[in-house]
Structure formats: C-alpha cells, structure tokens
Amino acid sequence: MGNLRAGGIVSLPIIDLRRGHDECRRAVLDAGKEMGFFQVVNHGVAEQAMRDVGALCHEFFALPEADKAAFYSEDNDKTNRYFSGSTYETVVGHKYWIDCLRLGCTIPVGSSTRDWPDKPNNFRQVVEKFAVQTRSMGMELLRLLAEGMGLRTDYFDGDLGGTDVILGINHYPACPDPTTMIGLPPHCDRNLLTLLIPNKVPGLQLLHNGEWVHVEPLPNAFVVHTGLAFEVVTNGMLKSREHRVVTNTTLARIAVGMFITPTKECLITPAEEFLIGDENPPRYRAVAYREFVRIHGTAATSVRTTNLRTH
C-alpha cells in the first residue's frame, strides 16, 4: 500500500507481475482503489528497451532546433507532432515550462512509424520496440483489473483498449524560476491507462490526502495510473487521481509515457455490471470518446468528470 514518508514523498504500491495470477489480480485492484497510482516490476518490458528509448529521447531534445522544426505543429488534432508548452494558456499565474513530442502508433505497428522523426539514428526502431512491449504489458494489467472487478477478462480489448496507442515524451528544461513556471498543472489523464518510465529527476507529484507529494519511483519499474475514461467505465469504483509536474532549478527532466486510449467513436459509459438498480445508478452519462476528449479539453481544464455526471 502507499506509504507517505517524511519530506512529502509517497512510495506507491508495488505489483510484481511474476507473482501468481490471483495475487497479481488482487494487488492491482487494491492498488487501483487505494491510490489510482501504482508501480509494476518484472513487467516483461526489457530493461534495455527502457534505457534505449530514454537515451534516444534525450538525444532528440538535444538536436538543433532546425532538425526538430519539421515536426513542430500547434494543431491538436495532428497525430505526430512536436510542440511547446508556451502555446498553452497560463494557469493560476504559472506559465508552462515544457516541450513535447507526441507520437501515434498502431498495433500492429505497420507503417505508422513512417511519420515519426528519423533523427537520432534508429529512433523509429527503438521507440517501436518499446511501444509494442509496453502496450502488451498495459493490456495485461487491464485484463487483471477487469477480472478483479468481476468483468470478463477481455472487457478492455477491442475499442475500449483501442487499436492505437499514444506515446508522450515530455522535456522539462532546468527552470530559472519555478515560482512562475510549471511543467504540467493539476490534471487527470483523459485516457484509459497511463504507463510511465520512472525518472531519476523528481517532478511528478500526486495529490494524496489533500497534499501534493512527490512520487518516489523504483528503478526499472513502470509508474501506472488509471485515467478518467477508466473512472467512467467503473462507475467511480476506481477514481482517476489528480497529479502534476513541477520544475527543477538545476536539472532537466524527460518523461516517457504510453497512453492506452479508446477509439474515437467508442462509447464511454459505465459497465452494466456496476449498475445495480437504485443502489448503484449510473453516475456518468454515456458519450463517444471523441466528445469525451473535447469536454475535458487540455490538461488545464477541470480535473474531474463533473460535466459527465448524471447528478
């Protein structure tokens, strides 16, 4: 279970995926209910694949601006793009201190990588290998969660789990004035499940018992958390937890994450298994994922699903 230590640091629940199936199923569900955030070890993603993708992402952001300019776009609907947080509106007196690379990847991959950057060398091959392995691990976690909640094991397969994934690579440069700059403001992810490579440079914070606390990652583990779409599907059984990223005065930070996301036309609605007459009515109205994303807007919008609640 999550453990808050002195200094405002939280140790997330740890799930060892080499444990027995029943133990993993219970542990994943308990961690999801307790915090919505947990870590997984012995997850099947090669340590070398994690190191390689992290190193290449550092190299990408170190490229001359001219090499990155071809991918720069402020079009939110563009699948593959490089952009700066300076294009976002400021929030609560803070400006964004972040550069981002977003990549879409089909599963199976096929030709979806042809519009990815071709620098540094081997970028496409390394990121593709990481994406395939990580998505496989994420789908296994969704099957464990589904089974633990009494849903059929493959409930999140198909349109809910999507056929594509989004890779988010965020670069937070060393910041001269953290009092006026923020990496990412308080938000909940809009997708189904987020899987993050841990970073040695602190920055990720979780709202825990009303206080912002630093997440302490384990080496070679993934930090995993459920998104707003997952909260709706479970009719609020598992909440999406608010989190943010703060800046660092001396060290740059790069975060690599994968977002398992429903298809755009998939209906996001509470599973029938959680609706039990007047005792547990639907707490959220059904909406296509395309509209779900629009309602929640960017990371700076409302962190909760208020606009989707039925009452």
Side-chain angles (χ1 to χ4, degrees):
M1 294 300 154
N3 177 35
L4 183 61
R5 303 209 323 266
I9 298 175
V10 65
S11 298
L12 300 178
I14 300 169
I15 313 298
D16 185 345
L17 291 182
R18 286 186 182 171
R19 300 279 186 174
H21 179 84
D22 289 346
E23 182 178 346
C24 286
R25 181 190 64 210
R26 289 191 298 269
V28 168
L29 182 59
D30 288 346
K33 287 181 176 179
E34 180 199 6
M35 298 188 73
F37 271 70
F38 54 92
Q39 296 189 83
V40 292
V41 297
N42 295 319
H43 40 65
V45 180
E47 291 181 14
Q48 189 64 51
M50 297 171 70
R51 287 194 295 268
D52 287 348
V53 77
L56 274 178
C57 289
H58 276 276
E59 290 182 36
F60 173 83
F61 285 105
L63 289 172
E65 287 303 317
D67 289 336
K68 295 179 285 190
F71 300 95
Y72 189 88
S73 175
E74 296 181 14
D75 182 358
N76 287 331
D77 294 326
K78 190 172 183 180
T79 302
N80 302 300
R81 68 185 184 114
Y82 167 62
F83 59 100
S84 170
S86 62
T87 62
Y88 293 152
E89 295 181 7
T90 57
V91 58
V92 291
H94 288 77
K95 294 182 179 180
Y96 288 85
W97 193 255
I98 179 177
D99 296 316
C100 313
L101 179 64
R102 292 290 184 270
L103 303 174
C105 181
T106 62
I107 302 294
V109 175
S111 62
S112 63
T113 66
R114 66 185 176 188
D115 294 325
W116 290 4
D118 56 2
K119 293 180 181 180
N121 291 335
N122 299 321
F123 181 89
R124 294 176 182 174
Q125 297 90 327
V126 168
V127 176
E128 176 184 333
K129 182 178 181 180
F130 169 80
V132 171
Q133 292 186 21
T134 304
R135 200 258 184 180
S136 178
M137 181 261 291
M139 294 307 295
E140 176 59 24
L141 289 173
L142 286 172
R143 294 184 186 104
L144 288 168
L145 283 164
E147 191 175 336
M149 293 184 297
L151 300 172
R152 66 178 190 275
T153 304
D154 64 352
Y155 189 87
F156 294 104
D157 291 2
D159 287 350
L160 263 178
T163 55
D164 301 348
V165 293
I166 300 296
L167 288 158
I169 304 162
N170 295 343
H171 175 230
Y172 307 95
C175 179
D177 187 4
T179 63
T180 60
M181 303 287 184
I182 192 165
L184 280 176
H187 68 285
C188 293
D189 291 356
R190 296 170 290 181
N191 53 289
L192 200 65
L193 197 69
T194 298
L195 305 108
L196 297 171
I197 294 182
N199 195 289
K200 294 180 181 178
V201 180
L204 177 62
Q205 293 186 336
L206 169 66
L207 189 61
H208 183 63
N209 293 332
E211 296 183 8
W212 287 108
V213 294
H214 285 280
V215 171
E216 183 178 49
L218 291 173
N220 302 317
F222 274 83
V223 174
V224 180
H225 59 93
T226 50
L228 288 173
F230 197 95
E231 177 177 328
V232 173
V233 170
T234 65
N235 204 33
M237 177 189 291
L238 272 71
K239 295 283 196 276
S240 180
R241 300 297 179 182
E242 195 173 350
H243 54 285
R244 69 181 185 182
V245 178
V246 295
T247 52
N248 190 292
T249 56
T250 57
L251 298 173
R253 182 176 184 271
I254 287 183
V256 181
M258 171 176 284
F259 307 96
I260 296 181
T261 303
T263 61
K264 291 181 179 179
E265 303 308 323
C266 179
L267 194 65
I268 307 302
T269 186
E272 292 182 1
E273 287 81 350
F274 299 127
L275 308 180
I276 309 173
D278 295 335
E279 297 178 9
N280 196 19
R283 295 185 173 92
Y284 313 92
R285 59 185 176 89
V287 64
Y289 187 67
R290 182 192 300 275
E291 179 68 4
F292 186 91
V293 170
R294 187 197 66 78
I295 289 171
H296 291 289
T298 66
T301 62
S302 173
V303 298
R304 301 261 27 106
T305 50
T306 304
N307 292 335
L308 291 173
R309 288 177 181 162
T310 59
H311 59 281

